[in-house]
Amino acid sequence: MVNMDSTTVRKTERRAEPISADPPAVRVRDLRQSYGSFEAVKGVSFDIAPGELFALLGTNGAGKTTTIETLEGFRRPAGGEVRVLGADPYNQPPELCDRVNGVLQQSGVFGELTVAETIQLGADLAANPRNTAEIIDMIGLTDKVKVQVRQLSGGQKRRLDLGLAVLTRPEVLFLDEPTTGMDPEGRRDTWEVIETLTSEGTAILLTTHYLEEAERLADRLAIMHRGEIRVEGELHDVLVGWGDRIGFQLPEDVPVTDLPDLPNSTFELRGRRNVTWCEYTVGGTDTLGRAQQALTPLATWAQSENVRLARLEVRSASLEDVFLSIAADDLSQL
């Protein structure tokens, strides 16, 4: 697989520079898609620049797969406009065939062929393929070259799918849950391959249910829910906007009504590993100092009341916090 240290360096160097000012590789404006009377995608808009990875996240049924299938050319938009490398992708026009590829949720390879035969067939059909031995090494299937595809594990098949997509040197790559079924090692190896592609200038649209995957790879991300984008931006900006967290285990002898109010904070209780967990969400414009400003009166209160704040933690919001908050807010409106 790709060397991890060199990949990390390339990724850091790429992100130290501004995203390309060239026209976007992918452009989506007010995209709408319907199934009969049900509107699955409700006016979605975003761009993806060359060399950028855009993660499209969301709950089940949020409209992610419908959006990516439209960009892949399998569906005509019911409304709005999509462009991939400046062209309408519907029906996969010839000018895009050699420049765009993807890893779909369902594989289309032949189970009777070996790994080597499958890669070679892909190379024979590509206009300017990468070296087949390079691809097999890149996806970590060197010891499986003579094994029939149907004998591979689910994670190994996903590696093969990625190899076939990378083989064609795509300028735009769609990855629809590419690491499903992989073990942790395979997932991290795949991340290295993806980082190498973006460092080479490939524009990537990623959908995934693994939030740590989006945190690791995404230059920008969006979270969809019920057909709409609820939040979009760079990871840091998204997380900052959802506040910091101060949490601790509620002592058994402390009533909830005795807990202090903290500046610019909201408060909630929830069960966590058979204990009652208290968590303050701290907002405010002072993103660097707001958690400390809230923590000071909490510590003062605990000392004056002789309260032990067991398992005290202070952290920034996580992508999981944002994701769950969006879903919970939607449920509260039902």
Side-chain angles (χ1 to χ4, degrees):
M1 300 294 287
V2 177
N3 179 272
M4 184 173 182
D5 293 336
S6 62
T7 301
T8 303
V9 170
R10 285 195 297 270
K11 178 181 177 183
T12 302
E13 290 175 347
R14 174 173 63 85
R15 294 190 177 179
E17 301 174 355
I19 295 297
S20 172
D22 294 336
V26 175
R27 179 181 175 89
V28 181
R29 288 294 178 272
D30 196 30
L31 173 63
R32 297 178 180 274
Q33 285 288 23
S34 299
Y35 299 94
S37 60
F38 173 69
E39 190 172 25
V41 180
K42 305 173 183 178
V44 167
S45 298
F46 59 85
D47 292 340
I48 308 175
E52 180 182 33
L53 188 143
F54 184 82
L56 188 61
L57 311 176
T59 52
N60 289 330
K64 306 184 304 297
T65 296
T66 298
T67 298
I68 201 170
E69 287 178 350
T70 304
L71 287 166
E72 290 166 336
F74 298 127
R75 299 180 184 276
R76 184 192 298 275
E81 179 183 74
V82 298
R83 290 291 182 268
V84 177
L85 298 174
D88 181 351
Y90 184 63
N91 282 334
Q92 303 173 339
E95 61 266 31
L96 294 183
C97 287
D98 294 330
R99 305 173 66 190
V100 179
N101 213 327
V103 174
L104 310 181
Q105 289 190 18
Q106 299 295 325
S107 176
V109 296
F110 298 103
E112 296 77 11
L113 297 181
T114 66
V115 168
E117 291 169 340
T118 300
I119 295 292
Q120 186 58 57
L121 176 60
D124 291 342
L125 297 174
N128 182 30
R130 294 178 186 258
N131 180 273
T132 56
E134 173 193 357
I135 290 295
I136 292 172
D137 178 66
M138 181 182 292
I139 59 176
L141 292 180
T142 303
D143 60 339
K144 301 292 182 181
V145 290
K146 296 182 180 180
V147 175
Q148 287 183 316
V149 171
R150 63 184 174 188
Q151 296 176 324
L152 299 177
S153 69
Q156 290 167 343
K157 290 178 181 177
R158 295 305 279 168
R159 291 188 186 213
L160 181 59
D161 291 337
L162 178 63
L164 291 171
V166 173
L167 179 69
T168 63
R169 305 179 190 270
E171 297 172 50
V172 174
L173 182 61
F174 299 111
L175 300 178
D176 197 358
E177 301 181 22
T179 60
T180 298
M182 290 187 183
D183 60 26
E185 180 183 9
R187 186 172 298 126
R188 290 186 179 275
D189 287 344
T190 298
W191 293 351
E192 293 175 23
V193 174
I194 293 171
E195 288 171 335
T196 298
L197 294 173
T198 52
S199 72
E200 294 173 350
T202 303
I204 297 179
L205 175 61
L206 169 73
T207 69
T208 179
H209 286 296
Y210 300 114
L211 298 182
E212 74 276 15
E213 189 163 270
E215 290 179 333
R216 163 73 179 262
L217 297 173
D219 295 292
R220 291 186 303 113
L221 60 88
I223 299 178
M224 291 185 69
H225 193 55
R226 295 186 181 273
E228 300 174 322
I229 289 180
R230 300 295 177 89
V231 63
E232 179 185 354
E234 294 183 7
L235 177 64
H236 174 267
D237 295 335
V238 168
L239 298 185
V240 163
W242 288 77
D244 299 320
R245 284 3 185 216
I246 298 175
F248 54 91
Q249 180 179 326
L250 179 68
E252 294 182 358
D253 57 346
V254 176
V256 175
T257 53
D258 287 355
L259 293 172
D261 293 327
L262 303 184
N264 299 313
S265 300
T266 59
F267 172 79
E268 68 173 332
L269 293 175
R270 64 174 183 271
R272 180 174 175 180
R273 297 175 185 172
N274 299 318
V275 302
T276 300
W277 186 257
C278 308
E279 185 168 86
Y280 291 86
T281 298
V282 186
T285 58
D286 181 10
T287 58
L288 296 179
R290 62 191 181 189
Q292 180 179 349
Q293 293 169 7
L295 187 61
T296 299
L298 177 63
T300 300
W301 169 82
Q303 184 174 9
S304 66
E305 299 295 327
N306 196 29
V307 172
R308 182 183 181 187
L309 301 178
R311 297 165 61 187
L312 176 66
E313 64 179 37
V314 182
R315 62 179 177 84
S316 299
S318 67
L319 194 53
E320 181 178 4
D321 292 324
V322 179
F323 190 95
L324 295 177
S325 294
I326 289 172
D329 179 67
D330 186 82
L331 288 174
S332 70
Q333 299 177 29
L334 295 179

